[in-house]
Amino acid sequence: MSFLEFVEGPLFLFAAGVFVLASLWRFVGIIRIGRKKDISPPKGSAAGGFIAGNFRHFFPRGIFARRTWLHIVGGYGFHLGLLALVVLGAPHVAFLEDRLFGFGWTPLPRWGFILVADVAFAGLIVLWVRRISDPVMRLISSRADHIGSILIFLVMLTGAFAMQESHDLLRAIHMLMVDIFLIYFPFSRLFHGFTFVLSRGNTGATYGRKGMNL
Amino acid sequence: MSEQNKAENRAEIAVAKFLEHTDAEAASFFDACVHCGECAQACHFYLNTGDPKYTPTYKLKPMERAYERHKAPFSTLKRMLGLTPSEVTEQELLEWEPLVYDSCNMCGRCTLVCPMGIDIAGTIRKMREGYAAADMVPEGLKRSAEFVRKTSSPMGVTIKALKAQIAHQEKDTGIPIEIDKHGADYMAIFSSMEIMGYPEVLGAYAKLFKKAGLSWTISSVAYEATNVGVQIGSAPMAKEILQRVVDAAEALEVKHVISPECGHAYGAIRWAGPNLMGRQFKFEVVHIIEVLDRLRREGRIPAGPKDGRRMTLHDPCQIIRRGGLLKEPRSLLDDSCSDFIEMKGSGITNFCCGGGGGVSANPRAEDLKLAAFNSKAAQLDAIEGLEAVVVPCANCRTVFEDGLDDQEMDLEVIGLSELVAQTLADT
Ligand code: SF4
Ligand code: SF4
């Protein structure tokens, strides 16, 4: 078995397994901590608020835009770019069809792939430069935040090298980074990719009971 | 007990309480925070000092660390591998104490900007449980608690003092106010600040309720609405304070208890109250603004000539953003003044006055409170020709008076009930 076959085969399946099981464990673990039932007479729906809160926080409020625009641009650029890269990049679609789902979908054209990759890179760099330069972010950032940023950067960088599909080793290194990323994800700050649903939802539910949409 | 043991105990007590109060909601916040720092851009303590330590999420650090070390999923595994943060020490807790008490009004503005929707205010409330249990509470708040134990009022207002204020208002309005009236529909409670600083509010209630034909009373044993237990962060104390009101209201068999123009008092009885008591009340809790809005819509307190001064409204955080009463004060003001103008960023995104969450009862935080008021002053300053500001919270009102004085701004500060009473139709 070649190194490429190993990182795309058994190691990938192991990493994906860890990703799914550990993510489930952590997600359910948070919910299982439990919460006292709120018995104050409600004015609105907590369940409705849970959903509304999730949508509400997707959209930044205009009043804060002037002070937070850099983060909004960086954050949206990085996250949307990354999502498009992973889900619509031609090599990814082919890989997911071949290894996981057995079916595929229309990928982005090559120029589109390069464009979203550039957007994602630019977004990530903006966020990371802010993390190391802005006094507020420097104070509150932990080692885990930097590790997460560096890891995702390496995954994307090795992906860019592998894009030329000129050498198996480049593809293998990219896959190795992806495997490491999948294993690291559920134990790290990167897990906010799932917990945001709970945090926004919990706040939304509290305010929903009060008849507010915050 | 040696000094070191005592220190360990205080830290242990606080951490145990942090963990007890880290429910699934708080855990989701700790696990979702991406340390992006956006919340700083909404917090008036950071905005007016520029000091990163006032970043909202940073204020939660000790509690977050305790969670990561002891309660988070995988914490056991990570602890074995030496990957969890170290134990929270008393030294750190003491270092954070001013951040937790002096620099957070529990106003909830930072939640609006947070991409994760994290409720910093609610989590600070839970964190204060740890501080209160470990007896790491600012002196000013301790003093208020002491007064409450003795007199039920954080300012030491006795029933004798209340009766004297009632007598004055009865004389001024010519309307009697009945105390301990069994079977009244409504029982009103007040904040000490209203009773001593703005007693006209008693006369305003009398005038408005007489007009509406509403049966109401004041209890001689439970007239205080503020709850220092909620500000300090002690559920047992908050429950004890609330118990007096609940017992009195149920003994008088009133149908409603009216929460006054005081932000935290409303949250304490309306939203936290039943949860603190562990049961639903036999009466409905209504805010005075809700009562007046209902009476107005039913045509029982018709509006007369409007106040012509240029006025704006301050939205007290615990009544508006965290209380859910956004439209009611505005609809009352529409009827009461002819030149009403909203502040920029009013309503849900409004700035706190800087004195909420126990900050105004904490003299140590005085300078910080006045610095935070700058955001409010800027909102007011931006309105040309402003003559008065309606502030439907007695605590905010005192902060406004201090803040305006400090900024040398000449502006009248007025309560909403008083304004509605002043602009009531004569017929
Ligand atoms: S804005 Fe929200 S996610 Fe960002 S640092 Fe503040 S609390 Fe954390
Ligand atoms: S709740 Fe208000 S005072 Fe407290 S950190 Fe958030 S914005 Fe600042």
Side-chain angles (χ1 to χ4, degrees):
Chain A
M1 184 185 287
S2 70
F3 182 52
L4 178 62
E5 281 165 348
F6 174 68
V7 291
E8 285 195 347
L11 189 61
F12 172 70
L13 288 178
F14 173 75
V18 170
F19 176 84
V20 171
L21 290 179
S23 292
L24 268 175
W25 180 274
R26 183 161 172 188
F27 200 80
V28 173
I30 293 168
I31 295 169
R32 280 197 50 197
I33 290 173
R35 191 181 171 185
K36 260 202 194 156
K37 191 173 167 0
D38 190 341
I39 58 168
S40 62
K43 267 190 166 179
S45 156
F50 191 97
I51 296 164
N54 261 289
F55 284 104
R56 185 68 198 79
H57 286 270
F58 268 121
F59 306 104
R61 281 173 206 264
I63 193 160
F64 302 115
R66 196 176 57 80
R67 298 194 66 93
T68 59
W69 68 272
L70 199 60
H71 223 111
I72 294 170
V73 172
Y76 271 88
F78 166 63
H79 285 94
L80 292 178
L82 184 65
L83 188 72
L85 263 186
V86 173
V87 180
L88 296 174
H92 298 146
V93 175
F95 181 82
L96 293 170
E97 179 179 7
D98 188 34
R99 301 285 162 148
L100 278 183
F101 303 129
F103 61 86
W105 49 88
T106 314
L108 282 174
R110 194 174 165 79
W111 64 263
F113 191 33
I114 292 170
L115 182 73
V116 292
D118 284 349
V119 170
F121 263 118
L124 181 60
I125 290 167
V126 165
L127 295 181
W128 197 63
V129 168
R130 258 180 67 82
R131 195 173 285 295
I132 56 171
S133 60
D134 177 70
V136 164
M137 286 190 77
R138 282 168 65 104
L139 180 71
I140 62 179
S141 294
S142 61
R143 202 171 41 187
D145 296 314
H146 293 292
I147 295 174
S149 302
I150 292 167
L151 190 56
I152 192 91
F153 181 78
L154 289 176
V155 170
M156 285 164 58
L157 188 72
T158 55
F161 290 146
M163 233 178 112
Q164 302 305 328
E165 299 187 42
S166 60
H167 207 296
D168 270 2
L169 185 62
L170 293 177
R171 183 178 165 108
I173 292 173
H174 176 54
M175 271 314 293
L176 180 65
M177 292 315 301
V178 171
D179 293 342
I180 293 171
F181 175 83
L182 288 173
I183 294 169
Y184 181 70
F185 183 96
F187 302 96
S188 69
R189 285 247 152 244
L190 298 169
F191 199 63
H192 72 267
F194 290 145
T195 39
F196 81 89
V197 178
L198 297 177
S199 65
R200 288 179 185 178
N202 282 326
T203 298
T206 302
Y207 283 98
R209 292 188 89 257
K210 297 178 180 177
M212 304 285 277
N213 179 11
L214 245 60
Chain B
M1 192 187 290
S2 74
E3 276 307 304
Q4 195 189 343
N5 277 345
K6 212 168 114 194
E8 276 168 15
N9 270 343
R10 287 227 289 180
E12 275 169 25
I13 291 167
V15 167
K17 276 283 169 196
F18 289 166
L19 296 175
E20 185 187 324
H21 286 272
T22 305
D23 55 7
E25 182 188 52
S28 75
F29 297 153
F30 294 141
D31 272 3
C33 180
V34 283
H35 298 158
C36 67
E38 296 302 271
C39 44
Q41 305 303 333
C43 178
H44 43 303
F45 289 106
Y46 171 73
L47 294 175
N48 289 296
T49 60
D51 190 333
K53 75 178 179 197
Y54 296 126
T55 301
T57 191
Y58 188 66
K59 299 171 191 174
L60 299 174
K61 267 279 171 281
M63 188 170 176
E64 182 188 0
R65 275 186 43 203
Y67 163 72
E68 278 181 6
R69 183 171 174 85
H70 295 285
K71 200 168 180 175
F74 305 126
S75 55
T76 314
L77 176 72
K78 286 186 180 175
R79 212 170 38 244
M80 276 165 22
L81 298 171
L83 295 173
T84 48
S86 57
E87 197 67 85
V88 178
T89 64
E90 183 181 23
Q91 182 64 30
E92 285 163 304
L93 289 169
L94 289 171
E95 206 180 302
W96 250 262
E97 189 256 306
L99 292 182
V100 175
Y101 283 103
D102 300 13
S103 78
C104 185
N105 299 124
M106 301 195 282
C107 77
R109 192 169 193 264
C110 45
T111 298
L112 305 176
V113 76
C114 172
M116 300 291 151
I118 292 169
D119 179 12
I120 300 280
T123 316
I124 286 280
R125 165 71 188 82
K126 289 172 182 165
M127 192 173 173
R128 287 187 185 181
E129 288 284 343
Y131 274 90
D135 196 26
M136 296 185 193
V137 174
E139 279 310 314
L141 285 172
K142 276 191 194 168
R143 233 181 355 261
S144 297
E146 213 31 63
F147 273 132
V148 169
R149 276 194 196 101
K150 286 187 193 139
T151 64
S152 90
S153 150
M155 288 169 64
V157 177
T158 59
I159 181 62
K160 205 168 144 207
L162 171 64
K163 281 184 174 166
Q165 298 292 56
I166 289 176
H168 276 299
Q169 292 302 313
E170 287 180 326
K171 204 166 146 222
D172 281 359
T173 59
I175 304 169
I177 297 173
E178 276 188 81
I179 293 182
D180 293 332
K181 182 174 161 189
H182 193 271
D185 284 340
Y186 290 81
M187 179 181 110
I189 50 178
F190 298 92
S191 74
S192 289
M193 185 45 74
E194 281 178 302
I195 298 170
M196 299 318 291
Y198 316 111
E200 318 79 57
V201 76
L202 298 165
Y205 276 33
K207 197 173 158 195
L208 289 161
F209 295 161
K210 180 166 188 274
K211 182 87 171 179
L214 186 137
S215 126
W216 74 292
T217 193
I218 299 173
S219 162
S220 61
V221 289
Y223 45 87
E224 178 61 54
T226 56
N227 195 319
V228 71
V230 166
Q231 295 172 327
I232 285 181
S234 163
M237 190 192 297
K239 182 180 173 188
E240 196 185 314
I241 294 168
L242 200 60
Q243 184 89 51
R244 293 179 195 165
V245 176
V246 175
D247 287 349
E250 292 183 348
L252 290 173
E253 298 190 83
V254 297
K255 296 192 187 80
H256 313 271
V257 167
I258 304 175
S259 183
E261 291 189 26
C262 171
H264 88 271
Y266 179 59
I269 189 166
R270 172 65 178 88
W271 298 113
N275 296 306
L276 286 166
M277 302 297 292
R279 70 171 174 89
Q280 304 256 359
F281 304 145
K282 293 182 188 147
F283 52 85
E284 185 198 7
V285 176
V286 277
H287 193 271
I288 181 64
I289 293 175
E290 277 178 298
V291 177
L292 298 182
D293 185 54
R294 273 185 215 171
L295 295 174
R296 171 66 43 88
R297 278 186 285 112
E298 288 165 9
R300 293 165 67 184
I301 47 167
K306 295 181 179 184
D307 190 315
R309 286 175 298 172
R310 174 157 265 218
M311 286 189 188
T312 191
L313 169 73
H314 163 66
D315 294 281
C317 318
Q318 306 301 329
I319 297 173
I320 313 292
R321 181 162 48 237
R322 290 177 70 76
L325 300 176
L326 178 67
K327 296 189 196 94
E328 294 83 346
R330 292 180 160 76
S331 106
L332 286 165
L333 280 166
D334 276 347
D335 290 340
S336 304
C337 46
S338 55
D339 194 8
F340 175 70
I341 180 162
E342 291 275 13
M343 289 182 209
K344 185 163 180 269
S346 65
I348 282 176
T349 53
N350 206 22
F351 276 111
C352 175
C353 62
V359 172
S360 62
N362 172 7
R364 186 184 66 191
E366 183 67 14
D367 290 346
L368 207 48
K369 179 190 83 176
L370 289 173
F373 187 79
N374 279 333
S375 296
K376 183 53 61 184
Q379 280 185 306
L380 298 169
D381 219 24
I383 304 176
E384 217 176 300
L386 188 67
E387 290 168 283
V389 53
V390 179
V391 181
C393 167
N395 184 50
C396 302
R397 221 166 140 177
T398 60
V399 178
F400 264 71
E401 282 166 3
D402 284 357
L404 291 172
D405 194 43
D406 184 56
Q407 305 264 342
E408 296 178 8
M409 286 170 78
D410 187 20
L411 206 58
E412 192 181 339
V413 183
I414 182 169
L416 184 56
S417 310
E418 288 144 73
L419 180 68
V420 175
Q422 279 164 19
T423 53
L424 195 59
D426 281 337
T427 51

